[in-house]
């Protein structure tokens, strides 16, 4: 195995693959030889990522899939397997961010955030784990957040959802370790130009240079992250390079958690 083909022959399902971090992961994984099922709630977004991968000579299929809906997850995974065979690895990048303190977010906002970020990862894991157990191998990579490790202001639903995702990762890790399955998470800092990044800006009543400077200064390395920064870590966790890691999380945040 060379270092440029870490996923050759592997079938990887990426949720939220139509945008931002998921798009970056799908592209890097395809460049590393994976056959990628690019899944997203938005059909046109998944199709765009898959088309870009194919244009670069990779192998990808776009699948419309709502991670919060069990039937949709089942149908999407069935379609993925019909094209690319059993699933070797999954990256859960689909996510929702709705800002507000506990008294600012509505109950419906809470349900949406928890549903996409936690129930979604749970349903996708349930969809792939039985076949991984049968085959005696599999990897799951959850995209959590630094917001799963520390409180960020006015994220009364998002913070708990990302912490719960880390707990789910640990739970899967210990329950399925004996079946050759590993589950790990990534906690990114702010990733420039992604959907979540735009959401944060919008919540702060509009994007301004001052705001971007403030957010950037939270990251000691002096810049916001890129989807590729996160994708390289996801590649490590989804490949055999991380074969003795499970149940843990890797912080990819330009030093944001360390201090500023
Ligand atoms: P993004 O908005 O660019 O992409 C998320 C994708 O998920 C979108 O294409 C969207 O259509 C899809 N999606 C939403 N709901 C879905 C559902 N029910 N079923 C299937 N797909 C659905 O977001 P991003 O910024 O790339 O974030 C990706 C992940 O990384 C999220 O879980 C987010 O919480 C996490 N994260 C992002 C940042 C950041 O700064 N961007 C930082 C830390 C963690």
């Amino acid at each position: 195995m060379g270092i440029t083909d870490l996923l050759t022959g592997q079938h990887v399902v990426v949720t939220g693959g139509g945008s931002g971090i998921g798009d970056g992961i799908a592209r890097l994984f395809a460049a590393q030889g994976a056959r990628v099922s690019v899944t997203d709630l938005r059909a046109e977004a998944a199709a765009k990522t898959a088309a870009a991968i194919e244009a670069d000579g990779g192998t990808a299929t776009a699948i419309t899939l709502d991670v919060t809906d069990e039937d949709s997850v089942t149908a999407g995974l069935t379609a993925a397997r019909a094209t690319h065979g059993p699933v070797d690895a999954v990256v859960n990048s689909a996510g929702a961010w709705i800002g507000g303190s506990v008294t600012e977010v509505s109950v419906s906002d809470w349900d949406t955030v928890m549903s996409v970020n936690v129930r979604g990862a749970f349903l996708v894991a349930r969809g792939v784990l039985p076949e991984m157990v049968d085959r005696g191998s599999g990897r799951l990579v959850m995209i959590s957040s630094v917001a799963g490790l520390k409180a960020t202001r006015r994220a009364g639903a998002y913070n708990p959802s990302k912490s719960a995702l880390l707990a789910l990762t640990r739970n899967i890790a210990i329950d399925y370790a004996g079946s050759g399955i590993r589950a790990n998470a990534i906690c990114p800092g702010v990733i420039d130009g992604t959907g979540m990044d735009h959401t944060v800006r919008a919540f702060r009543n509009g994007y301004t240079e001052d705001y971007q400077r403030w957010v950037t200064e939270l990251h000691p390395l002096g810049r916001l992250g890129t989807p590729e920064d996160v994708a390289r870590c996801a590649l490590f966790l989804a490949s055999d390079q991380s074969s003795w890691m499970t149940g843990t999380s890797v912080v990819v945040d330009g030093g944001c958690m360390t201090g500023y």
Side-chain angles (χ1 to χ4, degrees):
M1 181 174 64
I3 61 168
T4 57
D5 58 359
L6 291 174
L7 296 175
T8 295
Q10 305 273 302
H11 175 199
V12 183
V13 172
V14 180
T15 74
S19 176
I21 293 170
D23 170 85
I25 288 170
R27 290 177 193 237
L28 180 63
F29 281 25
Q32 291 286 327
R35 290 169 283 124
V36 183
S37 292
V38 181
T39 74
D40 204 285
L41 181 63
R42 297 175 299 125
E44 72 287 359
K48 194 173 165 198
T49 300
I53 289 171
E54 295 262 316
D56 283 344
T59 303
T61 305
I63 294 168
T64 309
L65 182 160
D66 179 353
V67 296
T68 68
D69 181 311
E70 185 176 9
D71 291 341
S72 176
V73 170
T74 301
L77 291 175
T78 300
R81 288 187 192 100
T83 308
H84 296 301
V87 177
D88 296 294
V90 168
V91 180
N92 277 304
S93 189
W97 193 98
I98 301 174
S101 65
V102 164
T103 50
E104 288 169 337
V105 286
S106 66
V107 174
S108 144
D109 290 343
W110 166 275
D111 288 343
T112 299
V113 171
M114 294 300 283
S115 185
V116 178
N117 295 355
V118 188
R119 176 187 163 97
F122 166 78
L123 288 178
V124 172
R126 277 174 65 86
V128 296
L129 280 168
E131 102 181 309
M132 289 179 172
V133 169
D134 286 347
R135 299 175 73 217
S137 78
R139 280 94 55 211
L140 292 90
V141 180
M142 311 295 197
I143 308 300
S144 178
S145 171
V146 291
L149 297 171
K150 65 177 180 181
T152 53
R153 284 205 181 93
R154 302 174 84 191
Y158 188 75
N159 280 163
S161 77
K162 289 299 180 178
S163 295
L165 186 54
L166 295 177
L168 177 67
T169 305
R170 289 190 290 268
N171 180 265
I172 292 169
I174 62 165
D175 277 344
Y176 296 92
S179 300
I181 295 162
R182 297 186 296 108
N184 291 289
I186 301 175
C187 295
V190 176
I191 307 302
D192 202 9
T194 57
M196 299 295 154
D197 183 26
H198 288 297
T199 309
V200 172
R201 289 173 184 172
F203 177 66
R204 294 267 179 166
N205 295 322
Y207 168 81
T208 66
E209 285 192 9
D210 279 354
Y211 177 60
Q212 184 166 42
R213 195 174 309 119
W214 178 76
V215 172
T216 303
E217 283 171 0
L218 296 177
H219 302 75
L221 285 180
R223 65 170 175 85
L224 300 184
T226 66
E228 294 70 32
D229 289 323
V230 181
R232 284 193 292 274
C233 184
L235 174 65
F236 172 67
L237 293 176
S239 76
D240 288 340
Q241 297 290 302
S242 57
S243 57
W244 207 49
M245 290 175 69
T246 197
T248 193
S249 59
V250 180
V251 176
V252 180
D253 72 340
C256 176
M257 283 294 295
T258 304
Y260 59 90

